[in-house]
Amino acid sequence: MQARSTFGIVMALGFLVLIVVSGALVGCPRYLVYQQEMAGRAKLAEAQSSRQVAVLEARAKMESAKSLAEAEITRAEGAAKANHILQNSLGGPEGYLRYLQIQALQDSNARLIYVPTEAGLPVTEASRLPEDPSQTDKN
């Protein structure tokens, strides 16, 4: 009798192992499908996240460009008002242009300067300046 019960237990264990192995083989393709589905969802979520980041970066650049444009407009308006005030205080456009010419001459390190006459032509010089400034009229 003991041989029968041992044989029955061995048969039951063998049958159980067969069922577990069969279940694993049947469930394996389903697991692969599930794994691929999860990988696809992860890729989709990453793509959506990347798109949202790109959209937010584009919006930030647009807002930055608008702010820079507004700052440039404000600066230009301020410069125009300052030029208008300065022009009016110097007697009009001609006085303002003369003032700008004087400022340019003061900022220049030139040794020879042509000054325009009333006709807009420069006064020509009779002779050139000596190359060395220390040689002025030693003759």
Side-chain angles (χ1 to χ4, degrees):
M1 270 216 166
Q2 189 141 17
R4 273 189 174 178
S5 69
T6 305
F7 180 72
I9 293 174
V10 170
M11 285 298 284
L13 284 174
F15 187 67
L16 184 63
V17 167
L18 183 66
I19 289 176
V20 169
V21 169
S22 298
L25 290 176
V26 170
C28 189
R30 288 184 184 165
Y31 176 74
L32 290 176
V33 169
Y34 173 77
Q35 184 181 19
Q36 289 175 351
E37 181 182 349
M38 290 295 115
R41 286 184 185 179
K43 285 182 182 179
L44 178 63
E46 182 180 353
Q48 288 174 342
S49 176
S50 296
R51 187 188 67 193
Q52 288 176 349
V53 167
V55 167
L56 291 175
E57 286 177 351
R59 285 183 186 160
K61 286 181 182 179
M62 184 175 65
E63 290 174 7
S64 175
K66 284 180 181 179
S67 296
L68 288 172
E70 289 174 5
E72 185 64 23
I73 289 169
T74 303
R75 187 207 59 77
E77 288 173 350
K81 286 179 183 177
N83 287 342
H84 182 72
I85 292 169
L86 190 57
Q87 177 180 329
N88 287 340
S89 68
L90 294 172
E94 291 297 323
Y96 181 60
L97 290 175
R98 199 171 301 116
Y99 166 77
L100 290 176
Q101 182 183 17
I102 292 169
Q103 290 297 318
L105 291 174
Q106 285 179 349
D107 295 340
S108 173
N109 291 330
R111 292 181 38 215
L112 181 63
I113 300 172
Y114 290 98
V115 178
T117 61
E118 291 82 21
L121 299 172
V123 176
T124 58
E125 67 219 50
S127 65
R128 285 277 198 197
L129 293 176
E131 292 298 320
D132 187 7
S134 63
Q135 296 178 358
T136 56
D137 293 333
K138 288 189 176 179
N139 294 338

